């Protein structure tokens, strides 16, 4: 059985503000209490269906994370309605990595995770399927970012 995870993680927000924001956009799902500095929203909609809608409308910092165990993973970081950094890794038929919009300098700066910059550099430098699976790239990213 595959593991599928999709979350929007709002930094330094209140649960009530996130609930109000999601309601304004007419998106359904569950908003969870703050944990590790994140308010997490799990959408009830289809995977990847509201990334732009949420990211391009939220006036703060939101980290989108999607992991589909048998297929790949991705993350998008938005800050003040702008896409700051993006990474996509898919291994459905063959390994495809799109890191053209990966901006680790801004990513680390915006999220205040300077102490993890080297770990993130190493993580995003993985380039073979063996490395990605052996190092559990997606899971390590979630662990470093302290998102569930």
């Amino acid at each position: 059985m595959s593991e599928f995870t999709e979350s929007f993680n709002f930094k330094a927000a209140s649960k009530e503000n996130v609930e109000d924001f999601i309601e304004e956009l007419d998106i359904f799902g569950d908003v969870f209490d703050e944990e590790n500095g994140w308010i997490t929203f799990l959408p009830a909609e289809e995977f990847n269906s509201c990334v732009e809608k949420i990211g391009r409308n939220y006036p703060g910092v939101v980290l989108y994370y999607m992991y589909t165990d048998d297929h790949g993973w991705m993350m998008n970081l938005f800050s003040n309605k702008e896409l700051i950094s993006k990474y996509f890794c898919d291994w459905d038929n063959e390994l495809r990595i799109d890191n053209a919009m990966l901006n680790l300098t801004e990513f680390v700066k915006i999220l205040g995770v300077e102490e993890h910059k080297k770990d993130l550099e190493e993580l995003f430098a993985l380039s073979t399927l063996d490395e990605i699976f052996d190092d559990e790239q997606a899971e390590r990213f979630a662990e470093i970012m302290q998102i569930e």
Side-chain angles (χ1 to χ4, degrees), residues 38-53:
W38 297 103
I39 302 291
T40 299
F41 170 65
L42 302 180
E45 305 191 15
E46 185 175 320
F47 274 164
N48 209 14
S49 64
C50 49
V51 176
E52 289 293 317
K53 190 174 186 180

Side-chain angles (χ1 to χ4, degrees), residues 5-102:
T5 302
E6 180 181 44
S7 64
F8 291 86
N9 304 278
F10 297 83
K11 194 71 172 167
S14 75
K15 182 178 180 182
E16 293 77 22
N17 287 347
V18 172
E19 289 171 331
D20 291 345
F21 170 73
I22 295 301
E23 187 175 308
E24 285 175 24
L25 293 180
D26 201 30
I27 299 173
F28 301 97
D30 297 310
V31 178
F32 294 87
D33 291 332
E34 182 272 329
E35 190 169 328
N36 300 317
W38 297 103
I39 302 291
T40 299
F41 170 65
L42 302 180
E45 305 191 15
E46 185 175 320
F47 274 164
N48 209 14
S49 64
C50 49
V51 176
E52 289 293 317
K53 190 174 186 180
I54 291 175
R56 299 281 185 197
N57 286 289
Y58 188 67
V61 175
V62 61
L63 175 64
Y64 172 72
Y65 173 76
M66 183 174 69
Y67 174 59
T68 56
D69 187 45
D70 293 341
H71 308 284
W73 79 282
M74 67 182 296
M75 73 83 184
N76 293 351
L77 176 67
F78 292 88
S79 180
N80 299 317
K81 305 179 185 181
E82 297 288 327
L83 179 61
I84 303 301
S85 192
K86 180 178 182 176
Y87 179 84
F88 175 84
C89 180
D90 172 69
W91 49 81
D92 249 344
N93 296 318
E94 63 183 50
L95 181 61
R96 284 185 314 135
I97 296 174
D98 181 354
N99 59 4
M101 292 189 64
L102 181 62

